[in-house]
Amino acid sequence: MDPISVLIVDDSEDDRYILTRQLKETKIPISQIFECSEGTSALRFFVDYEKNVARYASGYPPTFVFLDINMPLMDGFEFLEEFKKVQSKQGPDPIIIMFSSSDRKEDVDRAAGLSMVKAYLVKGKYDIEQLKAELSVSSK
């Protein structure tokens, strides 16, 4: 498997730290883990395509985006709406995995209805093997 790169979009520093550790525990080769603390900075991360390709080389654009739902300024669903408008025409689109503390049926169903969302993980309710499986299955 070629190394993957990951963008974690979550307003909780603790949750970003935990997910970063868990991603490393999967033993899947990861070239780069990027972090954004809210949706607007994540959107800028994609808008600045040329600058980031030069800066990060093969790790950009990220292979996966782990996206929280409940964030200030711009929530995960608002990010996805805006992301559709700026999706990179120069590179492959990332695989979006919703990563939220919400296990509300409305949120899960809404995410499932979006073709760009490939999986939904509820914080604290998955294990390393499930995380590894999502990364392996979704990247094929």
Side-chain angles (χ1 to χ4, degrees):
M1 172 187 258
D2 290 334
I4 62 170
S5 59
V6 174
L7 169 62
I8 303 170
V9 185
D10 197 313
D11 60 316
S12 169
E13 186 175 353
D14 290 341
D15 288 341
R16 291 192 314 267
Y17 173 77
I18 290 166
L19 181 56
T20 296
R21 286 187 51 133
Q22 291 172 331
L23 287 166
K24 291 176 181 176
E25 284 180 43
T26 66
K27 304 292 190 228
I28 290 174
I30 300 173
S31 62
Q32 191 94 31
I33 297 177
F34 305 101
E35 294 183 16
C36 290
S37 61
E38 38 81 27
T40 54
S41 62
L43 200 58
R44 275 193 308 275
F45 185 70
F46 287 102
V47 169
D48 294 339
Y49 184 86
E50 295 299 328
K51 180 178 92 177
N52 287 328
V53 164
R55 185 175 187 187
Y56 300 114
S58 63
Y60 186 85
T63 315
F64 290 91
V65 174
F66 284 82
L67 181 63
D68 187 19
I69 292 175
N70 299 309
M71 297 180 288
L73 303 178
M74 177 185 284
D75 72 25
F77 291 117
E78 291 168 331
F79 167 83
L80 291 172
E81 285 302 312
E82 293 302 312
F83 181 69
K84 282 188 224 176
K85 299 173 189 173
V86 299
Q87 280 178 299
S88 173
K89 304 299 183 239
Q90 295 106 330
D93 289 332
I95 296 163
I96 309 287
I97 297 177
M98 299 305 281
F99 180 68
S100 179
S101 57
S102 173
D103 58 0
R104 293 178 42 220
K105 183 177 180 346
E106 300 85 30
D107 288 336
V108 175
D109 289 348
R110 185 173 176 192
L114 299 169
S115 62
M116 62 178 39
V117 175
K118 301 304 180 201
Y120 192 108
L121 294 176
V122 177
K123 296 174 186 177
K125 295 187 179 180
Y126 65 90
D127 60 23
I128 300 301
E129 288 306 311
Q130 184 181 359
L131 179 60
K132 186 174 184 175
E134 289 296 350
L135 292 171
S136 298
V137 170
S138 295
S139 63
K140 291 181 180 179

